[in-house]
C-alpha cells in the first residue's frame, strides 16, 4: 500500500492485523533510502530507539525512533515530512499451530553462573514474554517482553514505572531464549550458585497476546490479536511516576471488579474505572478512566 506523512513526518497505517516486517520507500523525493524494519531485530511498540536496515546500502543498522507496530497496523514517527511512501508488510504469527503446550510455554529452573551477558537457551521457541524470579534473594520478579524491547523491565510486586537500565535483566529476545545484561554476572540475574526461575510465553492466537497502548483518559476499546475472548488480562502503566497498580481482569469475577497483582488485598468491587465494566471480546478489550489502566498520555502494556 501507500501513505502520506504529515508535516511532522508522522502517519498511521491500518492493515487489519499486526505486522512483523515492513519495508518502506519514499516515492516523491530523491536520495531517500529503502527502510526495512522487523520485530526480531527490535521493531517494538514503544517510543524508543529501533533498528532499521537500508537494503540499498551496505551500511550498518540505523538507530532511531522509526515508529511502531500495533494490533491493526503500524505508525511512523518523525519520518520524512509530507512525503508519500509505499510499503510492503508481512503479518505477525507463527507458521504452524502448536500441537502441545510446550510450544507456547516453558518454565526453566536454573543456577547462576556469574557470566556477564549470559545467553539462556533451551526454551524451545522464540519467547515473547519472559518472567524472571529469583529464589531466596532480594531481587524483584521482572516482566520483560519482545513487544516493548528486551531491556524494559517491570517489577510485578510494586507500582514503579518500567526500568530501562540496559546493564541488568533481559536485554534481547532470541530464537530459543534470551540474553541477560552485561552486569548480570556481578549483582543481577546470574549470580554464581543462586537459584532462579524463568517462565517463557509465546504469543499465539487463542493462547496469549501482548498489547502496548497509550491512555486517553476517556473510556475506549483497544484492539488485540488473541483471536479469542481473553479469560485473564494483566495491565500495567509503563511511564507512570510509580503510583499505578497492576490491574487484573479475570472471567470468573464480576466485570466491575478487579484484582491487583502487586497487592494482597481481596477482590475490589465497583471498579468500573479499570475495564469500564465491560467484558472483552475476541478483538478488543475495554478500559475505563482509572489511571491504573487509562490515564491520558500514559503508556501501558497488557498481557
Amino acid at each position: 500500500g501507500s501513505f502520506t506523512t504529515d508535516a511532522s513526518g508522522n502517519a498511521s497505517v491500518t492493515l487489519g492485523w499486526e505486522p512483523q516486517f515492513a519495508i518502506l520507500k519514499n516515492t516523491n523525493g530523491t536520495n531517500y533510502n529503502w527502510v526495512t524494519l522487523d520485530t526480531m531485530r527490535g521493531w517494538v511498540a514503544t517510543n524508543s530507539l529501533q533498528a532499521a536496515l537500508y537494503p540499498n546500502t551496505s551500511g550498518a543498522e540505523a538507530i532511531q525512533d522509526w515508529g511502531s507496530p500495533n494490533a491493526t497496523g503500524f505508525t511512523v514517527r518523525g519520518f520524512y515530512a509530507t512525503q508519500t511512501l509505499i510499503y510492503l508488510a508481512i503479518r505477525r504469527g507463527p507458521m504452524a499451530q502448536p500441537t502441545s503446550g510446550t510450544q507456547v510455554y516453558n518454565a526453566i529452573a536454573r543456577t547462576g553462573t556469574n557470566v556477564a551477558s549470559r545467553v539462556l537457551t533451551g526454551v524451545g521457541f522464540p519467547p515473547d514474554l519472559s518472567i524472571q524470579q529469583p529464589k531466596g534473594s532480594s531481587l524483584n520478579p521482572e516482566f520483560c517482553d519482545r513487544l516493548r524491547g528486551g531491556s524494559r523491565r517491570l517489577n510485578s510486586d510494586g507500582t514503579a514505572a518500567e526500568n530501562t537500565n540496559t546493564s541488568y535483566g533481559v536485554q534481547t529476545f532470541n530464537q530459543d531464549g534470551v540474553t541477560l545484561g552485561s552486569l548480570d554476572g556481578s549483582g543481577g540475574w546470574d549470580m554464581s550458585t543462586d537459584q532462579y526461575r524463568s517462565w517463557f510465553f509465546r504469543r499465539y492466537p487463542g493462547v496469549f497476546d501482548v498489547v502496548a497502548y497509550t491512555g486517553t483518559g476517556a473510556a475506549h476499546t483497544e484492539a488485540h490479536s488473541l483471536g479469542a475472548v481473553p479469560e485473564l488480562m494483566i495491565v500495567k502503566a509503563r511511564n507512570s511516576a510509580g503510583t499505578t497498580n497492576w490491574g487484573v481482569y479475570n472471567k470468573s469475577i464480576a466485570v466491575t471488579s478487579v484484582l491487583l497483582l502487586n497487592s494482597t488485598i481481596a477482590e475490589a468491587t465497583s471498579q468500573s474505572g479499570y475495564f469500564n465494566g465491560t467484558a472483552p471480546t475476541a478483538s478488543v478489550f475495554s478500559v475505563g478512566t482509572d489511571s491504573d489502566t487509562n490515564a491520558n498520555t500514559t503508556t501501558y502494556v497488557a498481557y
Side-chain angles (χ1 to χ4, degrees), residues 32-265:
Y32 289 105
N33 292 312
W34 294 75
V35 177
T36 302
L37 301 159
D38 65 83
T39 56
M40 293 302 291
R41 289 184 306 110
W43 188 28
V44 297
T46 57
N47 296 3
S48 62
L49 297 180
Q50 302 171 55
L53 286 169
Y54 300 150
N56 57 293
T57 79
S58 59
E61 291 178 326
I63 308 299
Q64 69 178 63
D65 181 10
W66 297 94
S68 302
N70 57 60
T72 57
F74 64 92
T75 61
V76 295
R77 286 186 295 270
F79 226 72
Y80 313 125
T82 60
Q83 296 288 306
T84 298
L85 294 93
I86 57 171
Y87 68 87
L88 167 71
I90 297 177
R91 186 172 185 160
R92 184 199 68 83
M95 295 299 294
Q97 182 175 352
T99 57
S100 68
T102 56
Q103 293 174 332
V104 291
Y105 166 76
N106 198 0
I108 295 176
R110 61 184 176 88
T111 302
T113 62
N114 205 39
V115 174
S117 299
R118 180 183 178 182
V119 178
L120 300 180
T121 59
V123 175
F125 54 82
D128 292 298
L129 169 64
S130 166
I131 304 174
Q132 303 288 333
Q133 170 67 62
K135 183 179 180 181
S137 83
S138 59
L139 290 174
N140 299 315
E142 291 187 343
F143 279 57
C144 300
D145 57 83
R146 187 188 299 273
L147 191 65
R148 289 184 298 125
S151 62
R152 295 171 178 268
R153 313 187 307 281
L154 285 164
N155 294 331
S156 62
D157 64 345
T159 61
E162 65 185 2
N163 187 315
T164 59
N165 187 323
T166 58
S167 297
Y168 293 94
V170 173
Q171 297 302 289
T172 62
F173 281 78
N174 308 324
Q175 290 284 5
D176 187 38
V178 296
T179 300
L180 297 177
S182 60
L183 296 182
D184 280 338
S186 58
W189 290 93
D190 198 40
M191 291 292 291
S192 181
T193 73
D194 282 1
Q195 301 298 306
Y196 300 88
R197 298 294 183 269
S198 300
W199 293 273
F200 297 97
F201 299 80
R202 185 180 189 176
R203 296 174 69 192
Y204 192 85
V207 177
F208 172 65
D209 193 28
V210 183
V211 175
Y213 67 95
T214 300
T216 64
H220 67 280
T221 61
E222 291 286 341
H224 64 77
S225 300
L226 191 62
V229 178
E231 299 180 352
L232 174 73
M233 297 188 298
I234 302 173
V235 177
K236 179 64 176 73
R238 295 167 34 222
N239 64 343
S240 172
T243 59
T244 53
N245 296 298
W246 293 69
V248 180
Y249 164 89
N250 185 275
K251 70 168 187 175
S252 298
I253 61 177
V255 293
T256 54
S257 296
V258 69
L259 295 167
L260 303 181
L261 187 65
N262 54 289
S263 173
T264 60
I265 67 171

